[in-house]
Amino acid sequence: MLIQRTFISYYISYQNKSFDDEESVDGNRPSSAASAFKVPAPKTSGNPANSARKPGSAGGPKVGGASKEGGAGAVDEDDFIKAFTDVPSIQIYSSRELEETLNKIREILSDDKHDWDQRANALKKIRSLLVAGAAQYDCFFQHLRLLDGALKLSAKDLRSQVVREACITVAHLSTVLGNKFDHGAEAIVPTLFNLVPNSAKVMATSGCAAIRFIIRHTHVPRLIPLITSNCTSKSVPVRRRSFEFLDLLLQEWQTHSLERHAAVLVETIKKGIHDADAEARVEARKTYMGLRNHFPGEAETLYNSLEPSYQKSLQTYLKSSGSVASLPQSDRSSSSSQESLNRPFSSKWSTANPSTVAGRVSAGSSKASSLPGSLQRSRSDIDVNAAAGAKAHHAAGQSVRSGRLGAGALNAGSYASLGKRTDYGKLYHVLSLISVKTSSYTLIISIHSCYLRIVHMF
């Protein structure tokens, strides 16, 4: 017992000495006993090797980069095009083998309990089949219909990598199949719109890129209501993107594909011009150009139904983009219609001499009877009582005018050079037509006053 106690006390004292003098033994290298109790030093931010990774950054390379439009993690259409063929190569030997492969893919994608890596590889395998020429087999389109639900489930996945692969696969299907992908596009587009307001950039930008590919390559009229319905969404990012997609649709599609939904397009663009968000209004104004190219009459009706403030905003945008020709004819001048109405009076009539005016009166009086509308109402603008009084004054002044100089003895341009009453009567009629054409009632009154003064002078 005594020997055992002595040994235990000696062992304890030896351990304490090793723990206290850990740095004195073998230079700076700590002993094995001390290393078990030593607290690890905190990692410094300056050392790149010790920088902690963000959650979800592991498991695959980064997608996109900070230089892209959407920011870090964003993808664009160029990334999609590269990923179309960046898949394992396979060979298709028979229709039966293709059917078995598609059934296995559908089984994996339809069950979210499978590992996310397996689901991502299954989506890539669909693209491998497209590259291998699966679209040449009739059975492929039958099984593609059965894959609609699986593709929608993959686009709703919580894993961004699975969502990205699903969007790339859908875009590739639309690019290769075109309008034959109509049923799949109609089924997947609402799910893709749900990705637009996602806070994860890789998901939001993948959904937007997939929608752009579908709009470019699958021209199915049933897609139009799906896009226009999102133009009135409560989400501001969704409304902005929806008008952007609508602008792309009006640029890419033919008019015959849009005719059935022309009224819906006009009403949607009108709501967009009145949108509460400024960026959404800008995107909506862009769609006016495409609408004008397809449906000029509907576009002009839409423009005329807008309030003056919204018309001015649309004019400003179209002029800045060099598209003034898309405005209605009466609104293409910089100062609107008032300048175009005033221009004929200043350029045609201000420099005309009386003889030229008298020559135009005969032609103008013959046309006035045939022109409807505004020129016919000029007769009601003349005061009948004032005209009768002027006629009486003219009859009373005939004897006075007979003793004055003749018209030939006076210079051209003087009042007496007008000669007979019919000359300045015709001039009065011409000036009345001008004033009615310019819709200036102040000018009508002024011309009438001048006419009475001329009559009194003679």
Side-chain angles (χ1 to χ4, degrees):
M1 287 294 293
L2 182 60
I3 295 174
Q4 185 178 4
R5 291 178 181 175
T6 304
F7 178 77
I8 291 173
S9 61
Y10 176 77
Y11 179 76
I12 292 174
S13 63
Y14 176 77
Q15 291 292 335
N16 292 336
K17 182 179 179 181
S18 300
F19 181 76
D20 295 336
D21 301 330
E22 60 176 342
E23 293 185 357
S24 63
V25 181
D26 197 12
N28 293 330
R29 183 170 57 87
S31 62
S32 60
S35 62
F37 297 95
K38 188 174 181 181
V39 179
K43 296 179 181 180
T44 58
S45 59
N47 190 357
N50 295 332
S51 59
R53 286 187 177 183
K54 294 181 179 180
S57 61
K62 284 187 176 182
V63 181
S67 60
K68 294 184 181 297
E69 181 182 358
V75 295
D76 55 16
E77 297 176 38
D78 293 335
D79 296 327
F80 272 41
I81 295 174
K82 294 177 183 177
F84 285 167
T85 56
D86 188 14
V87 291
S89 60
I90 59 175
Q91 297 292 330
I92 302 175
Y93 297 101
S94 64
S95 299
R96 183 176 180 181
E97 180 187 3
L98 177 60
E99 289 180 358
E100 292 177 354
T101 305
L102 291 173
N103 287 330
K104 189 175 181 180
I105 291 173
R106 187 175 73 253
E107 180 184 353
I108 295 175
L109 295 179
S110 300
D111 188 5
D112 55 358
K113 294 181 180 178
H114 282 85
D115 187 66
W116 69 270
D117 196 17
Q118 294 180 0
R119 284 178 278 144
N121 291 332
L123 292 166
K124 290 181 180 179
K125 201 164 189 178
I126 297 176
R127 304 203 297 272
S128 298
L129 293 174
L130 287 173
V131 175
Q136 300 175 3
Y137 295 83
D138 295 334
C139 63
F140 176 77
F141 295 96
Q142 300 175 2
H143 286 271
L144 184 62
R145 282 284 190 99
L146 302 176
L147 281 174
D148 289 344
L151 292 174
K152 289 172 63 177
L153 186 62
S154 300
K156 296 177 182 179
D157 201 276
L158 299 179
R159 283 277 183 176
S160 60
Q161 187 71 13
V162 176
V163 173
R164 177 179 179 270
E165 294 298 333
C167 293
I168 294 174
T169 303
V170 168
H172 195 194
L173 287 168
S174 177
T175 304
V176 175
L177 304 180
N179 289 348
K180 293 182 180 180
F181 187 59
D182 55 345
H183 191 274
E186 187 179 1
I188 196 66
V189 162
T191 306
L192 297 177
F193 267 102
N194 293 334
L195 296 174
V196 173
N198 200 302
S199 58
K201 292 294 183 182
V202 63
M203 292 186 177
T205 54
S206 295
C208 292
I211 294 174
R212 292 191 190 100
F213 274 100
I214 291 175
I215 291 175
R216 284 196 175 97
H217 300 284
T218 306
H219 300 175
V220 182
R222 295 191 302 272
L223 296 178
I224 297 177
L226 300 178
I227 298 175
T228 55
S229 62
N230 284 279
C231 291
T232 56
S233 172
K234 294 181 179 180
S235 174
V236 175
V238 172
R239 295 203 306 272
R240 294 175 183 174
R241 291 294 186 181
S242 297
F243 283 110
E244 177 187 336
F245 299 147
L246 189 60
D247 182 32
L248 179 63
L249 184 143
L250 292 172
Q251 294 178 17
E252 297 287 337
W253 289 25
Q254 299 294 327
T255 304
H256 65 83
S257 301
L258 306 172
E259 290 177 348
R260 292 174 54 188
H261 301 281
V264 177
L265 292 172
V266 171
E267 187 64 24
T268 302
I269 295 174
K270 184 176 181 180
K271 291 180 180 178
I273 294 176
H274 292 84
D275 197 278
D277 181 66
E279 293 188 21
R281 291 196 300 270
V282 172
E283 296 295 335
R285 294 186 195 114
K286 294 179 182 178
T287 60
Y288 181 85
M289 266 293 301
L291 181 68
R292 179 76 182 183
N293 294 334
H294 291 286
F295 309 105
E298 286 80 354
E300 186 171 356
T301 303
L302 169 61
Y303 179 85
N304 294 330
S305 66
L306 296 175
E307 292 81 358
S309 58
Y310 292 102
Q311 289 183 354
K312 185 177 181 181
S313 299
L314 185 57
Q315 288 182 30
T316 304
Y317 169 76
L318 293 176
K319 289 173 184 175
S320 63
S321 60
S323 306
V324 184
S326 297
L327 286 173
Q329 186 70 27
S330 59
D331 295 297
R332 292 182 185 176
S333 60
S334 59
S335 59
S336 186
S337 59
Q338 189 63 35
E339 180 182 346
S340 62
L341 290 173
N342 292 335
R343 189 178 297 113
F345 177 75
S346 59
S347 58
K348 292 182 179 180
W349 302 100
S350 59
T351 57
N353 53 33
S355 60
T356 308
V357 172
R360 291 175 180 173
V361 168
S362 58
S365 59
S366 61
K367 293 180 181 179
S369 59
S370 61
L371 289 177
S374 61
L375 293 183
Q376 291 292 331
R377 68 182 179 90
S378 64
R379 298 175 181 177
S380 62
D381 292 333
I382 300 174
D383 191 352
V384 180
N385 297 326
K391 185 177 180 179
H393 286 294
H394 175 72
Q398 287 289 339
S399 59
V400 179
R401 287 197 301 272
S402 60
R404 296 188 180 180
L405 293 176
L410 296 177
N411 295 327
S414 62
Y415 294 115
S417 65
L418 293 176
K420 298 182 180 180
R421 169 181 168 283
T422 56
D423 292 333
Y424 51 81
K426 291 179 181 180
L427 175 61
Y428 172 71
H429 180 69
V430 172
L431 295 177
S432 299
L433 291 178
I434 299 171
S435 60
V436 172
K437 184 178 180 180
T438 58
S439 299
S440 177
Y441 294 101
T442 305
L443 185 58
I444 294 174
I445 297 173
S446 301
I447 293 173
H448 182 64
S449 301
C450 293
Y451 174 73
L452 294 178
R453 292 179 182 177
I454 293 174
V455 171
H456 284 296
M457 291 182 65
F458 292 97

